[in-house]
Amino acid sequence: MKRSNTSPLLTFLIAASMLPLSANASKFYGAKPLESQWQVTVDTPIECRVEHMIPNYGMATFTSRASKKINLDFELEMRRPMGQTENVALVSMPAVWRPGDAAEYIDRLRFFKQFDGYVDGQTAWSMLAELEDGRFPTFSFQEWQSRGKRVEVALSAVSFQQPYNEFSNCISGLLPYSFEDIAFTVLHYNDNGDELNKPSMAKLAQIAEFVRYSPDIDLVLMATYTDGRGAKAANQRMSEVRAKNLEEYFMSLGLPKDRIQVEAFGERRPIADNDSPIGRNKNRRVVISLGRSII
């Protein structure tokens, strides 16, 4: 018998190009093996993102952000958003070169009219796990333009592992707090000085770390206060020194001066009784508020 001249690699690619398509699907979107690309596009301590282009359909994106909780979002950015709200079946399809494997149900979702597809939480993590296992998470839903027909949109596991390793490493380095955790912060000073106390210095370091990697933070508002002991003029000067030091600190992080607003109130606007040490400690404070542009 004559031996075939087809190489094992070519046989693999021919088989792999026959991506899953159910019998009642009218359209299938998914990258062929030579088209399949995954790319880590954001790798910072405040955000990790890996993207996958689905030819003729749109972009699939996994994103995890700095937070007290482990999180993961998936977005299916469609070139043409849904024309009506649809129920969506999310199924893990086996690669065609693994014929012994069966399709497995992941979840039932809803994609909303005029919005991209969105998945979060455990379901998003399950999608990553299926991709790591060499399977194809596939969305199946009714085509809103043609009743009775369905569309299938698949994520390809080809060329996934290396970008996934980079994405996982990025997630392990995310800051354990979010913008919301530091957007409004009250810090306190040591007695008779312009230095923050130790807990406040640690909190300021967190704010600085977030600002350093956040180009969308476009405003820092700061108001400094003193306690009521001593001369009013001296307290005002101390408040101004504290405000100036903080302004220079945030400028050293790369924030332009026109995005920093500081005001020194001295002993005005106390929030506690100045007759007690606890009250004076509460009054020796700086209030920091961060503004963030929407990208």
Side-chain angles (χ1 to χ4, degrees), residues 28-290:
F28 176 82
Y29 298 93
K32 296 178 181 180
L34 294 180
E35 298 174 324
S36 181
Q37 294 183 357
W38 289 87
Q39 182 180 8
V40 174
T41 56
V42 179
D43 184 347
T44 74
I46 63 170
E47 184 175 339
C48 305
R49 184 184 304 162
V50 62
E51 297 181 340
H52 172 61
M53 176 63 72
I54 301 173
N56 302 315
Y57 192 82
M59 183 73 73
T61 305
F62 288 96
T63 305
S64 185
R65 296 179 175 86
S67 175
K68 292 179 179 179
K69 298 180 180 180
I70 297 175
N71 63 90
L72 183 68
D73 296 325
F74 171 83
E75 189 169 6
L76 185 60
E77 302 174 29
M78 311 175 194
R79 292 181 178 176
R80 184 181 60 189
M82 302 291 287
Q84 64 184 35
T85 299
E86 294 285 359
N87 292 321
V88 179
L90 176 56
V91 179
S92 175
M93 300 296 293
V96 295
W97 56 90
R98 293 165 62 174
D101 293 352
E104 295 180 0
Y105 171 83
I106 298 178
D107 204 351
R108 187 171 182 83
L109 312 166
R110 283 176 70 81
F111 285 176
F112 293 93
K113 181 179 179 179
Q114 298 300 317
F115 287 90
D116 292 325
Y118 177 76
V119 181
D120 66 350
Q122 183 58 52
T123 300
W125 289 109
S126 295
M127 292 172 64
L128 276 184
E130 295 302 306
L131 285 163
E132 186 180 20
D133 196 37
R135 297 173 67 87
F136 293 63
T138 302
F139 299 94
S140 178
F141 51 89
Q142 183 171 309
E143 185 179 28
W144 61 273
Q145 290 180 314
S146 303
R147 291 187 178 182
K149 296 183 179 180
R150 298 190 69 79
V151 174
E152 290 190 350
V153 182
L155 309 187
S156 173
V158 176
S159 302
F160 172 74
Q161 190 61 51
Q162 182 57 40
Y164 174 65
N165 291 342
E166 296 176 19
F167 183 64
S168 297
N169 288 337
C170 179
I171 290 176
S172 69
L174 285 173
L175 299 176
Y177 50 89
S178 66
F179 174 78
E180 289 72 21
D181 296 322
I182 61 171
F184 182 85
T185 307
V186 179
L187 307 180
H188 296 278
Y189 287 93
N190 290 320
D191 194 8
N192 294 323
D194 59 0
E195 292 186 356
L196 294 167
N197 61 30
K198 288 185 177 180
S200 293
M201 289 178 65
K203 190 68 174 180
L204 182 62
Q206 289 187 341
I207 297 173
E209 188 78 355
F210 207 97
V211 169
R212 184 178 291 115
Y213 294 101
S214 301
D216 57 343
I217 290 180
D218 56 5
L219 184 63
V220 176
L221 301 176
M222 290 178 287
T224 60
Y225 305 84
T226 67
D227 60 36
R229 290 191 303 174
K232 184 175 182 180
N235 288 336
Q236 181 62 34
R237 286 194 297 271
M238 176 62 72
S239 185
E240 291 170 358
V241 168
R242 292 170 176 174
K244 184 63 175 178
N245 289 346
L246 286 169
E247 179 183 48
E248 292 176 351
Y249 178 75
F250 278 96
M251 288 177 62
S252 73
L253 301 178
L255 203 64
K257 187 173 182 178
D258 62 359
R259 295 187 180 182
I260 304 171
Q261 295 182 15
V262 294
E263 189 166 1
F265 289 94
E267 63 185 56
R268 291 175 288 166
R269 302 182 183 179
I271 59 173
D273 189 348
N274 277 302
D275 292 334
S276 70
I278 294 177
R280 289 192 295 271
N281 180 64
K282 290 181 179 180
N283 289 331
R284 291 192 305 272
R285 70 196 189 278
V286 55
V287 178
I288 301 177
S289 301
L290 305 181

